[in-house]
């Protein structure tokens, strides 16, 4: 029996780990916790500061995953291009976006989100237009029994494993005309040698490293 399977339920398409009691993974942009963050998180969300989220700004989210970060950015007025290389995740996201479009509470937010199933390095290499922010949140290895990874993200991590080195994606992002590149990393470590961020924002369990256009990393790469 395969370890994982996709099923279509009345609530939507979901990923299940068979022989496990873990709740299946179904992406729901109108879930209680996400609505709470949309309505009450506001500028307290460090992510929004890190990507400089403002109405009308365009963010490329290179690692869409469960779409949580993309949704929060879109809820704050950004138009967001979501890139996701896993066909299974992209299918779950597409299903959630389709349901969200039919929900009057969040349809306007969903209307600012566009999904592309693609490997982000190749998509960035072909990008011609300037963009405001490029966001990277690859799956980093978590300490055993970490309380930081819960629910859907835990199942996602079991399904995909960790994403490997961020440096290729970071270099592809820095080579574009983006105003800033933001990498979410563990609180300690995970640096890319030779590419020093211009500044950092630190949360309890992770940090955002921010590379500005023409900043230290761009100079190191000779891309300005
Ligand atoms: C940690 S999750 C992202 C979580 C996301 N920020 C959220 O709010 O749900 C990382 C996701 O990025 C995807 N990913 C990793 N590297 C990628 C790449 N080079 N191109 C496209 N997707 C990638 C993985 O398949 C995974 O779904």
């Amino acid at each position: 029996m395969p370890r994982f399977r996709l099923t279509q339920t009345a609530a939507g398409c979901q990923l299940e780990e068979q022989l496990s009691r873990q709740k299946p993974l179904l992406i729901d942009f109108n879930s209680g916790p996400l609505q709470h963050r949309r309505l009450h998180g506001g500028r307290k969300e460090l992510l929004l500061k890190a990507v400089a989220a403002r109405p009308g700004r365009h963010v490329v989210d290179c690692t869409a995953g469960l779409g949580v970060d993309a949704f929060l950015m879109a809820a704050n007025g950004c138009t967001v291009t979501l890139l996701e290389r896993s066909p299974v995740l992209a299918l779950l996201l597409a299903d959630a976006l389709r349901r969200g479009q039919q929900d009057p509470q969040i349809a306007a937010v969903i209307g600012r989100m566009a999904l592309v199933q693609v490997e982000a390095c190749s998509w960035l290499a072909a990008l011609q237009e300037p963009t405001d922010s490029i966001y990277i949140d690859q799956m980093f290895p978590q300490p055993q029994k970490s309380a930081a990874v819960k629910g859907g993200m835990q199942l996602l991590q079991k399904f995909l494993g960790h994403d490997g080195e961020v440096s290729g994606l970071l270099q592809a992002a820095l080579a574009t005309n983006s105003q800033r590149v933001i990498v979410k990393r563990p609180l300690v470590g995970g640096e890319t040698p030779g590419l020093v961020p211009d500044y950092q924002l630190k949360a309890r369990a992770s940090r955002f490293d921010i590379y500005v256009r023409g900043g230290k990393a761009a100079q190191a790469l000779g891309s300005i």
Side-chain angles (χ1 to χ4, degrees), residues 61-71 83-86 89 118-121 135-140 153 156 160 163 169 184:
D61 180 348
C62 291
T63 50
L66 305 178
V68 172
D69 291 337
F71 179 82
L83 310 181
E84 175 52 59
R85 71 178 165 195
S86 158
L89 252 289
V118 71
E119 200 289 314
C121 288
Y135 176 57
I136 300 171
D137 171 21
Q138 283 197 320
M139 197 96 69
F140 36 83
M153 194 50 80
L156 185 66
L160 296 172
D163 280 326
L169 196 44
K184 186 175 175 186

Side-chain angles (χ1 to χ4, degrees), residues 86-202:
S86 158
V88 171
L89 252 289
L91 193 141
L92 294 175
L93 278 168
D95 181 64
L97 290 169
R98 186 186 47 72
R99 280 181 275 116
Q101 274 161 4
Q102 290 154 14
D103 182 337
Q105 258 192 322
I106 55 168
V109 176
I110 301 293
R112 291 192 283 276
M113 298 167 71
L115 171 67
V116 187
Q117 197 254 300
V118 71
E119 200 289 314
C121 288
S122 53
W123 191 91
L124 290 172
L127 180 68
Q128 302 282 331
E129 320 78 69
T131 187
D132 294 304
S133 300
I134 297 181
Y135 176 57
I136 300 171
D137 171 21
Q138 283 197 320
M139 197 96 69
F140 36 83
Q142 297 287 340
Q144 288 286 310
K145 298 195 183 149
S146 166
V149 182
K150 296 191 203 118
M153 194 50 80
Q154 203 175 48
L155 203 129
L156 185 66
Q157 203 174 55
K158 282 196 216 171
F159 180 65
L160 296 172
H162 92 86
D163 280 326
E165 249 308 298
V166 77
S167 66
L169 196 44
L170 174 57
Q171 290 192 30
L174 290 170
T176 68
N177 276 331
S178 173
Q179 290 306 315
R180 57 169 63 197
V181 177
I182 305 93
V183 183
K184 186 175 175 186
R185 290 192 163 114
L187 207 45
V188 179
E191 293 85 2
T192 300
L195 296 181
V196 181
D198 294 288
Y199 65 101
Q200 298 181 319
L201 295 175
K202 292 190 178 181

